[in-house]
Amino acid sequence: MAVGTYDINQYALKLRRSGKLLREIGEELGVSKERARSRVAFGTRQEKVFERGKNATTMGDLFMSYKPMWAIKRLGAENMIFTEFLENISKQKLLETIHIGKAAVKEILYELRKKNVPEKIIQNWEKEE
């Protein structure tokens, strides 16, 4: 499931909690009432994960799609804080991890920027060979 899908589910849940009917949510999202119901249900189940992602302090807590999370676990970096990850796992090592490509690296960097990791540290990590 793509990150955008999670965002839609979270938005559907927010609409439902604001008092919107499933029909109204469906109209806003451009889907059927039943699909709106399933989006709200998924959003409810994912709520704890959303909260953990908002309060993330380690790489394993970040809210990302499967491939970047798999790479972080595979590299044993799930308990590293953000700057520790950038200091210990090179871009090259990350890219050499099976099934990890530029899109996964881009997603990780996007999440680190959202967590206010200094841009200079991120840029230095990107330049490393």
Side-chain angles (χ1 to χ4, degrees):
M1 198 178 289
V3 173
T5 303
Y6 291 113
D7 294 338
I8 293 168
N9 294 344
Q10 188 177 23
Y11 182 64
L13 179 60
K14 180 181 172 184
L15 291 174
R16 184 70 172 148
R17 289 196 172 146
S18 72
K20 295 249 182 181
L21 299 173
L22 292 174
R23 178 184 47 76
E24 295 170 322
I25 296 169
E27 287 172 2
E28 187 159 337
L29 297 177
V31 297
S32 69
K33 178 179 150 181
E34 177 56 27
R35 185 64 177 142
R37 185 205 58 75
S38 69
R39 291 276 189 201
V40 171
F42 282 129
T44 302
R45 282 183 249 150
Q46 297 161 345
E47 195 166 31
K48 288 181 184 174
V49 178
F50 292 142
E51 209 47 48
R52 189 179 82 206
K54 285 181 191 173
N55 301 320
T57 56
T58 64
M59 293 302 292
D61 291 336
L62 288 174
F63 187 65
M64 294 184 285
S65 59
Y66 176 77
K67 285 187 178 182
M69 289 309 298
W70 182 87
I72 287 168
K73 288 179 184 173
R74 176 102 170 133
L75 294 167
E78 61 262 37
N79 293 319
M80 291 182 181
I81 61 171
F82 310 133
T83 53
E84 182 183 7
F85 173 80
L86 294 173
E87 291 168 0
N88 293 301
I89 308 294
S90 70
K91 182 178 179 182
Q92 187 61 36
K93 186 174 182 178
L94 187 60
L95 287 170
E96 288 172 358
T97 305
I98 192 166
H99 302 302
I100 300 304
K102 292 178 182 177
V105 171
K106 188 176 179 180
E107 186 175 345
I108 290 170
L109 294 178
Y110 173 77
E111 289 300 321
L112 292 177
R113 284 183 172 104
K114 281 180 24 182
K115 293 297 172 191
N116 297 318
V117 172
E119 188 62 31
K120 185 170 179 87
I121 293 173
I122 292 173
Q123 288 175 354
N124 287 340
W125 182 83
E126 286 184 296
K127 290 178 188 175
E128 289 179 5
E129 291 297 323

